[in-house]
Amino acid sequence: MTATIGVLALQGDVREHVAALARLGVTATAVRRPAELAAVDGLVLPGGESTTMAKLARTFDLIEPLRQRIKDGMPALGTCAGMILLADRIEDGAVGQESIGGLDITVRRNAFGRQVDSFEGDVDVVGLDAPVHGIFIRAPWVESVGGGVEVLARVGSDAEPEAVGRIVAVRQGPLMATSFHPEVGGDARVHGLFVDLVRQHA
Ligand code: GLN
């Protein structure tokens, strides 16, 4: 089937996700309004600034429609700030920071920032036969996951000691999230996993 995948386009690196999806031959559209959300089969929540995106989602009357579609089983991929938006629980969030939720995980915002703001490293991802080059930019990590959550990736042993072994990619049913930015650098394999999920749930 031909799936239409939306990219939440309130703020953040929207264009890079649209380009990654286009490389896979998927129709990708920007989502800013409830009617645009209603028209997509799956949604990417990009990296950027989770506090800004959450505020804009409220301003644009999107936060409740987003929660409802996720509750109804719409596949979603959150990357970095998008992972924070999909998390049920946020540590080190801004005061009053809202999430959309759906993923039974606790994320720690700007987690790696206590040691280094940004770094790159190879990440083994379940379902891919060669590592992904992970780009982490003021990224969250996953502190803990609920019973229905599959851990897809952890930080490798070449990272800072505090970061080694931290969970940086997860899946729960049709929801996926990564701490890193798979949209940067021309490797669309993580998006490919998500497109498979969308097709399975369509
Ligand atoms: N630190 C950002 C936040 O809290 C996320 C950074 C990113 O998406 N690259 O939303």
Side-chain angles (χ1 to χ4, degrees):
M1 65 154 261
T2 30
T4 300
I5 297 186
V7 181
L8 186 65
L10 300 174
Q11 190 263 338
D13 58 347
V14 175
R15 245 179 316 167
E16 290 81 353
H17 280 288
V18 171
L21 292 164
R23 277 198 293 278
L24 296 167
V26 172
T27 311
T29 61
V31 168
R32 289 189 193 83
R33 297 183 178 78
E36 292 163 345
L37 177 63
V40 298
D41 302 302
L43 184 71
V44 175
L45 298 95
E49 178 50 54
S50 57
T51 52
T52 306
M53 279 194 260
K55 280 188 200 147
L56 289 172
R58 178 140 308 278
T59 307
F60 282 55
D61 286 328
L62 260 181
I63 201 135
E64 293 307 337
L66 282 164
R67 286 181 178 145
Q68 191 58 48
R69 281 228 57 196
I70 285 173
K71 218 180 190 171
D72 292 344
M74 175 183 70
L77 166 66
T79 66
C80 202
M83 169 188 261
I84 299 169
L85 290 173
L86 286 180
D88 282 345
R89 296 167 297 278
I90 305 172
E91 300 275 357
D92 293 340
V95 176
Q97 179 168 357
E98 277 192 290
S99 77
I100 295 161
L103 264 180
D104 184 11
I105 61 174
T106 302
V107 292
R108 183 170 299 282
R109 197 167 156 250
N110 298 338
F112 297 98
R114 287 179 291 172
Q115 293 238 340
V116 276
D117 261 7
S118 302
F119 69 99
E120 300 183 15
D122 282 353
V123 183
D124 286 314
V125 177
V126 172
L128 299 179
D129 48 18
V132 167
H133 187 67
I135 298 173
F136 296 82
I137 305 168
R138 293 183 59 70
W141 67 43
V142 179
E143 286 280 341
S144 61
V145 303
V149 178
E150 181 187 5
V151 173
L152 296 181
R154 293 177 183 269
V155 175
S157 54
D158 52 348
E160 299 278 320
E162 203 198 10
V164 172
R166 296 290 180 174
I167 299 168
V168 289
V170 293
R171 186 183 71 83
Q172 178 188 343
L175 303 179
M176 263 178 79
T178 67
S179 303
F180 52 90
H181 287 271
E183 70 281 14
V184 178
D187 177 354
R189 287 177 300 152
V190 170
H191 290 78
L193 292 177
F194 178 58
V195 171
D196 289 345
L197 265 188
V198 174
R199 292 197 170 123
Q200 277 164 29
H201 285 83

